[in-house]
Amino acid sequence: MAFLTKDKVFSKLWFKHYLFIIVGSFILASSFVFFITPHKIIPGGVYGISIVVHYLTKGVFSFWPEGIPIGLFALLLDIPLIIAGIKILGPRFGVKTIMGSILTATFNDLITWMRPVAADVPLVNDVLLSCVFGGVLAGFGLGLIFKSRATSGGSDIIAMIIAKYTKLQLGRLMIYVDSVIVLLGLVAFGDWAIPLYSWVVIYITGKVIDITLEGADYNKALFIISKQHALIKDKLLNDLERGGTYFKGQGMYTNEEKEIIYTVVSRREVAILEEYISKIDPDAFITIMDTKEILGEGFQSLNQKVSD
């Protein structure tokens, strides 16, 4: 991970990033309180550990009859991890990550305290529905925090430290660490449904984080090989008002030189283009690929993406 850049204090971007952290932390905490925690779902990370500890300490302390507060215990785990991360990995986390950790913990315990019902009463009784909505909210909240150029801390830092001293990939290590935490819930509660539902939440959370960071893009990328490439080029430029790029190619079997068009169009324009090409060259070869995000002329500006 690169060293985090600093925003100019009180600039528009500074206010936007800290607003993302506040709103993201609130949404993330709400996903825990209303959907995840009451069903004993273990979403990985320090909050997965905190949920296990919360239920295991229920009735142990007279001043915490419902168990150690989840936000407080998560913060007690998070802060030392961030400090260790700074010492071992360098200043990659900064004030934003610390602020996100404190706010998420505070919001979690504050919302729990303000709820008119007990903490172990879910908003909806259906576990799968809670997994879906909990995962969506958690992913959206984390996505906003990530958009502020902060990190999620917790198990991410553990994975980074292990990766520093091993040859294992960071993404794989994060899965391993979260899976161990999820299996901790199985050992603690003795219910196989808990890790299975937990992995559903982790999967949905990851997908929603991607959508939040990259956006839901409905454009398609096309590679087109056709003898009528000049007509297709005119169709793209003049009718659809789209650009493209020519690549030089060679047939593997015939060794024939070929012109390959690469372009990006909307889903509606794919149908228009397919119909047109079928009329002028039924033997054309077209590869259509989904795109996650398109940056550049005719689409979202790269500068706008970075400044968001």
Side-chain angles (χ1 to χ4, degrees):
M1 180 191 297
F3 285 78
L4 299 179
T5 57
K6 293 183 178 180
D7 301 328
K8 185 178 179 181
V9 178
F10 301 131
S11 65
K12 180 181 177 182
L13 190 60
W14 185 88
F15 279 110
K16 182 183 292 185
H17 282 177
Y18 278 93
L19 179 62
F20 281 163
I21 293 173
I22 294 169
V23 175
S25 298
F26 180 81
I27 293 173
L28 179 60
S30 298
S31 73
F32 292 139
V33 174
F34 293 109
F35 297 102
I36 294 174
T37 301
H39 290 292
K40 298 182 180 179
I41 296 169
I42 313 301
V46 295
Y47 278 88
I49 298 173
S50 300
I51 290 170
V52 172
V53 171
H54 170 75
Y55 279 103
L56 291 181
T57 56
K58 192 170 185 178
V60 173
F61 303 103
S62 59
F63 45 88
W64 287 324
E66 297 300 319
I68 297 177
I70 293 171
L72 175 62
F73 194 81
L75 190 60
L76 292 176
L77 293 176
D78 239 343
I79 297 302
L81 282 173
I82 293 173
I83 294 172
I86 292 173
K87 288 184 176 180
I88 297 173
L89 304 171
R92 303 183 179 194
F93 310 106
V95 176
K96 291 179 182 178
T97 295
I98 296 173
M99 179 181 175
S101 299
I102 294 173
L103 283 176
T104 303
T106 302
F107 283 140
N108 188 98
D109 290 348
L110 185 62
I111 296 170
T112 301
W113 177 72
M114 292 179 65
R115 286 194 73 190
V117 296
D120 58 354
V121 177
L123 191 65
V124 291
N125 292 322
D126 190 298
V127 183
L128 186 57
L129 196 60
S130 292
C131 287
V132 172
F133 277 91
V136 169
L137 286 176
F140 184 54
L142 281 169
L144 290 178
I145 293 173
F146 291 163
K147 282 176 78 71
S148 74
R149 314 296 192 260
T151 70
S152 61
S155 59
D156 293 4
I157 301 176
I158 298 174
M160 289 177 194
I161 293 173
I162 297 174
K164 179 180 174 67
Y165 298 105
T166 66
K167 295 182 179 180
L168 295 175
Q169 294 179 347
L170 179 59
R172 188 175 298 176
L173 277 170
M174 290 172 65
I175 294 174
Y176 292 161
V177 172
D178 279 340
S179 295
V180 169
I181 295 171
V182 167
L183 292 175
L184 179 63
L186 171 63
V187 175
F189 304 126
D191 185 353
W192 267 104
I194 288 175
L196 297 179
Y197 281 125
S198 298
W199 277 313
V200 170
V201 171
I202 291 172
Y203 177 80
I204 294 174
T205 298
K207 289 297 182 182
V208 176
I209 288 173
D210 289 342
I211 293 173
T212 304
L213 291 175
E214 300 169 357
D217 207 316
Y218 296 100
N219 295 304
K220 302 286 185 179
L222 280 69
F223 280 103
I224 305 169
I225 303 175
S226 171
K227 294 180 179 179
Q228 302 296 333
H229 57 85
L231 294 176
I232 297 171
K233 169 188 171 183
D234 290 339
K235 180 72 172 179
L236 284 168
L237 293 176
N238 301 322
D239 190 0
L240 300 182
E241 296 184 348
R242 295 289 189 184
T245 301
Y246 267 126
F247 289 97
K248 292 290 185 181
Q250 186 178 35
M252 292 181 66
Y253 181 73
T254 62
N255 290 322
E256 180 183 354
E257 297 291 331
K258 297 178 182 293
E259 299 286 349
I260 305 170
I261 296 175
Y262 170 75
T263 187
V264 177
V265 298
S266 69
R267 290 192 296 188
R268 181 186 65 85
E269 291 166 338
V270 168
I272 295 173
L273 203 55
E274 285 178 332
E275 182 181 8
Y276 177 75
I277 295 174
S278 69
K279 293 178 179 178
I280 63 171
D281 185 7
D283 297 324
F285 187 86
I286 306 174
T287 301
I288 303 174
M289 297 166 288
D290 290 327
T291 61
K292 283 190 174 181
E293 189 172 25
I294 304 296
L295 303 172
E297 186 177 354
F299 299 91
Q300 183 183 7
S301 165
L302 179 58
N303 288 333
Q304 180 184 349
K305 163 71 177 180
V306 173
S307 63
D308 281 346

